[in-house]
């Protein structure tokens, strides 16, 4: 089967490598892909948001299957357009992708169907939001309704900070139309867990759990980023908590989407916080997480393409989705200065990868046969091993063999997970 993958980050690189290992995979195209993905797929310079261009390409090449992974094309209806053109897809349609596309929608869904989440109020005018913020408890969380490159949630410690956040989001519109409405949410505390799941709208199959490291600096300091590293499994996510999440969150969410006439098919990402009152949903994503995918898929023992076809076909209950008992760690190498100002265009030197090691490229382009940095997050060094401690050591050893000017990485990816595992 010839497959088209929409997107061009580290997550897509991990998806493409897993698809390539499938028995039935033929040619793989990445739209647009990147300089590193070019080693594993034919990259075609069509933007992930150019829905017409994607459909045109899929038709011209008569691809058999398409996998749409980034949030923007999903929310824009890329799957609807491809399916209408006769191309079967993995990924939710536009009606279902709203679960990530609008935080107001997802909050109302959780409230209506009693899915545990932070208490919250919605506002469509800055004045009303400000008068509420005068009386609310701090810290609180101010969130833009729509997509905001993962930066739309601001934790505020006082009315002054909250007023500045409202001004940024609703008045100055730093996230554009995403700031037409905001949510003001109760601040929750506890370890965070990412659970990606496959679902065909009937069956939900959670993948191995993972832990993201969103802040730029060691010890979870500095600005929020797209993710500086991940480990899997997440030691806080015990079997008991997994069972509770299945009963109170995962199945109720699938049923709620069905009841709303918005059946979700694809990868549904549950961003959870394990509070003292039980697990609560912090966010839903309508797609694989980045860089969670880079640690989850290397542990998948089953054929990813078969699972994706079963999700599309509504036969997921018949698939055996198996994960290894090993652990995985991904250390992101970024350009110094990310997530604010950084330089690019530096040559990357990559080592050979051994068994149980992968390098997933996110921000690099090919020029004259050389791989050059082109983004904030440049790549992820990933290793799997029988224990979390070994996976972390091996991922850092691999990262140490990669070089480019101005490279920056956190030095403590997995440290908290390791401490939790040891009960510290
Ligand atoms: P979101 O964009 O909703 O995923 O939020 C981004 C990050 O902000 C989350 O990963 C949490 O670390 C934090 N966050 C979001 N909502 C809350 C909340 N209600 N309480 C505490 N932290 C939150
Ligand atoms: N790693 C968080 C996300 O993909 O949204």
């Amino acid at each position: 089967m010839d497959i088209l993958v929409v997107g061009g980050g580290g997550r897509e690189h991990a998806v493409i490598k897993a698809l390539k290992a499938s028995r039935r995979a033929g040619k793989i195209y990445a739209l647009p892909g990147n300089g590193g993905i070019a080693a594993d797929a034919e990259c075609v310079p069509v933007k992930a948001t150019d829905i017409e261009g994607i459909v045109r390409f899929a038709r011209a090449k008569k691809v058999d299957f398409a996998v749409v992974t980034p949030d923007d094309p999903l929310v824009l209806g890329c799957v609807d357009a491809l399916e209408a053109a006769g191309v079967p897809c993995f990924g939710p349609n536009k009606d279902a992708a709203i679960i990530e596309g609008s935080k107001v929608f997802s909050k109302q869904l959780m409230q209506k169907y009693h899915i545990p989440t932070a208490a919250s109020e919605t506002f469509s005018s800055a004045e009303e939001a400000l008068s509420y913020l005068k009386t609310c408890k701090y810290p609180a969380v101010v969130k833009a309704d729509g997509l905001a490159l993962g930066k739309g949630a601001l934790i505020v410690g006082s009315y002054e900070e909250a007023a500045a956040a409202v001004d940024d989001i609703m008045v100055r519109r730093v996230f554009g139309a995403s700031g037409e409405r905001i949510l003001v949410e109760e601040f929750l505390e506890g370890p965070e867990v990412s659970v990606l799941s496959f679902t065909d709208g009937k069956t939900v199959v959670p993948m191995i759990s993972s832990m993201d490291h969103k802040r730029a600096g060691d010890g979870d300091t500095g600005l929020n980023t797209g993710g500086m590293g991940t480990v899997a499994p997440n030691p806080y996510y015990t079997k008991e908590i997994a069972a509770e999440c299945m009963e109170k969150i995962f199945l109720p969410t699938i049923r709620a989407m069905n009841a709303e006439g918005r059946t979700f098919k694809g990868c549904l990402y549950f961003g959870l916080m394990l509070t003292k009152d039980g697990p609560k949903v912090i966010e839903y994503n309508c797609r694989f997480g980045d860089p969670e995918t880079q640690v989850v898929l290397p542990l998948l023992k089953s054929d990813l393409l078969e699972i994706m076809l079963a999700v599309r076909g509504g036969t997921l209950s018949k698939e055996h989705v198996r994960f290894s008992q090993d652990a995985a760690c991904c250390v992101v190498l970024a350009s110094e200065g990310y997530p604010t100002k950084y330089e690019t265009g530096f040559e990357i030197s990559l080592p050979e990868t051994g068994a149980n090691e992968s390098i997933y490229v996110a921000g690099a382009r090919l020029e004259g046969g050389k791989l050059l940095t082109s983004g904030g997050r440049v790549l992820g060094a990933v290793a799997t091993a029988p224990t979390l401690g070994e996976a972390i050591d091996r991922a850092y050893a691999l990262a140490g063999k990669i070089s480019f000017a101005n490279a920056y990485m956190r030095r403590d990816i997995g440290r908290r997970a390791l401490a939790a595992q040891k009960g510290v």
Side-chain angles (χ1 to χ4, degrees), residues 212 214 226 269 283 285 287-292:
D212 194 3
K214 287 202 168 103
Y269 167 131
E283 64 163 344
N285 290 327
R287 51 172 175 87
F288 285 95
D290 189 343
E292 284 91 341

Side-chain angles (χ1 to χ4, degrees), residues 13 43 55 81-82 109-110 141 149 184 261 283 311 333 363 379 397 399:
H13 200 180
C43 295
V55 172
L82 282 166
L109 185 85
M110 290 185 271
V141 188
L149 297 168
V184 179
E283 64 163 344
V311 164
L333 271 77
L379 53 84

Side-chain angles (χ1 to χ4, degrees), residues 11 71 100 149-150 194 196 212-214 225-230 269 283-285 287-293 377:
R11 164 185 57 201
D71 48 6
E100 174 170 3
L149 297 168
S194 306
L196 320 186
D212 194 3
H213 296 68
K214 287 202 168 103
T225 70
M228 293 301 297
T230 35
Y269 167 131
E283 64 163 344
Y284 293 115
N285 290 327
R287 51 172 175 87
F288 285 95
D290 189 343
E292 284 91 341
T293 307
R377 288 187 301 169

Side-chain angles (χ1 to χ4, degrees), residues 39-53:
D40 294 293
E42 185 177 325
C43 295
V44 185
V46 175
K47 275 201 200 140
T49 47
D50 176 5
I51 311 293
E52 274 177 32

